[in-house]
Amino acid sequence: MSKIISIGNITMGGTGKTPMVIKIGKYFIDKNLKVAVISRGYKGKIGYGLNVISDGKALLLKPPLAADEPYLIANKLPTAYVVTCKDRNLAYNYISEHYHPDIILLDDAFQHRRIKRDLDILLLDYNNPISTGFIFPFGYLREFPSAIQRGDIIVFTKVPEGDIKIPLNVKKYIRGKDIFFSRTKIVGVFLGEEMIGKDLKFFSFSGIANNRSFFLMLIKNGYNIVGNKGFRDHHSYQDRDFLELKRYLTNSKADLLITTEKDYVKLDDNIKKFTAVVRIEFEIDREEDFFELIISKIDLKNSLHFF
């Protein structure tokens, strides 16, 4: 029987769900377990029916047909079975029948409670964990802050190095919970497969939930950013966008464009020639404790003879 782990949040986006899914998936794949991922496939042109992005052997769908996040997950976890579907129960049944995974990761499923899960991992933005405290459209929450109490493990993301104080406005919701702190770190900047240095001028662009945080991360890490352009989250790049980006590159006198991995997978080959991509990793304080806790909570050690 598959063990099911949900990774989600209570805000409208930008807490690091995709890097966390990749982090957990890679951990279990490295332990020789079969991993599958279910995602809604938001903004994929192929629609919200059942779609197999990867069968664990090959990438079967790419952007713009595939949504950016599940495609990135499939690209980073090439042996994982990655399926998108609005009906997550349908996706679960399909994966169970065709793949028989040891672990199923539910991407962005904290609010989708029809599938019984063994563990709910809830991500909270350390700098703004509950926004204004109001749900959309009056605020940026998907549900009221009290929902935090459903989480089994709470992970604060975007935590400054060495700063591990629990934000005051969420303390009452996480009493007795297992708490971890994490951050996103730059592994390197690449043009194709070649890592490049910081001695170039870059024009940055992205279409993520918080473009400003990406631009500031580049500057903080010493990259020479001469301009930037933000698009809407999950932006689907068209020819007009590529022409616009080339103009920005020329007018800013930058050496290269620079963007996120999530955006890079949606670019055509012509623009990729001028675009560097930032590769990141998800760093969790007390990482060994984090994974040991997961194994304990889903009873993986006994049922699958993990050790």
Side-chain angles (χ1 to χ4, degrees), residues 38 66 73 100 119 148 154 161 165 167 179 247 286 303:
I38 297 174
I73 291 168
H100 311 292
L119 186 68
I148 292 172
I154 309 297
E161 195 81 45
K165 297 177 182 176
I179 310 297
R247 284 197 297 270
R286 300 188 295 116
S303 62

Side-chain angles (χ1 to χ4, degrees), residues 9-164:
N9 64 12
I10 62 165
T11 58
M12 298 300 290
T15 53
K17 295 184 299 297
T18 300
M20 177 62 96
V21 169
I22 293 169
K23 180 85 170 179
I24 295 174
K26 186 176 186 305
Y27 177 84
F28 286 117
I29 288 170
D30 287 347
K31 300 296 184 185
N32 297 315
L33 297 184
K34 294 173 68 176
V35 172
V37 179
I38 297 174
S39 173
R40 182 168 180 253
Y42 182 64
K43 289 287 187 178
K45 297 272 185 200
I46 202 167
Y48 295 127
L50 180 69
N51 300 295
V52 179
I53 308 303
S54 172
D55 62 0
K57 299 175 182 176
L59 290 165
L60 303 179
L61 291 170
K62 297 181 178 181
L65 291 177
D68 48 21
E69 290 170 346
Y71 178 77
L72 180 59
I73 291 168
N75 199 38
K76 291 284 189 177
L77 304 176
T79 62
Y81 201 85
V82 181
V83 168
T84 62
C85 190
K86 185 176 181 180
D87 185 340
R88 294 170 193 257
N89 278 306
L90 178 63
Y92 168 77
N93 291 332
Y94 182 87
I95 283 176
S96 298
E97 180 182 348
H98 289 83
Y99 194 57
H100 311 292
D102 301 306
I103 303 288
I104 296 178
L105 301 178
L106 304 179
D107 177 30
D108 194 12
F110 193 66
Q111 287 75 37
H112 300 273
R113 300 164 66 185
R114 287 175 57 202
I115 294 183
K116 180 174 171 52
R117 67 284 314 268
D118 298 280
L119 186 68
D120 256 312
I121 298 175
L122 180 66
L123 308 186
L124 297 175
D125 184 334
Y126 181 80
N127 303 292
N128 195 20
I130 56 174
S131 183
T132 59
F134 296 105
I135 59 174
F136 185 80
F138 305 105
Y140 293 98
L141 295 183
R142 297 177 176 187
E143 50 187 324
F144 288 109
S146 58
I148 292 172
Q149 296 170 97
R150 293 203 316 271
D152 298 305
I153 298 176
I154 309 297
V155 180
F156 287 100
T157 63
K158 304 180 184 178
V159 181
E161 195 81 45
D163 191 354
I164 53 171

Side-chain angles (χ1 to χ4, degrees), residues 189-207:
V189 171
F190 293 79
L191 186 62
E193 292 304 314
E194 180 184 353
M195 183 183 287
I196 57 179
K198 300 179 181 180
D199 55 338
L200 300 174
K201 293 186 291 184
F202 298 96
F203 185 94
S204 59
F205 71 95
S206 61

Side-chain angles (χ1 to χ4, degrees), residues 51 60 139 213 228 276 305:
N51 300 295
L60 303 179
S213 67
N228 56 67
H305 309 290

Side-chain angles (χ1 to χ4, degrees), residues 239-252:
D239 287 343
R240 63 178 179 272
D241 299 314
F242 300 141
L243 291 173
E244 182 182 21
L245 289 170
K246 286 182 179 179
R247 284 197 297 270
Y248 283 131
L249 178 64
T250 301
N251 295 340
S252 67

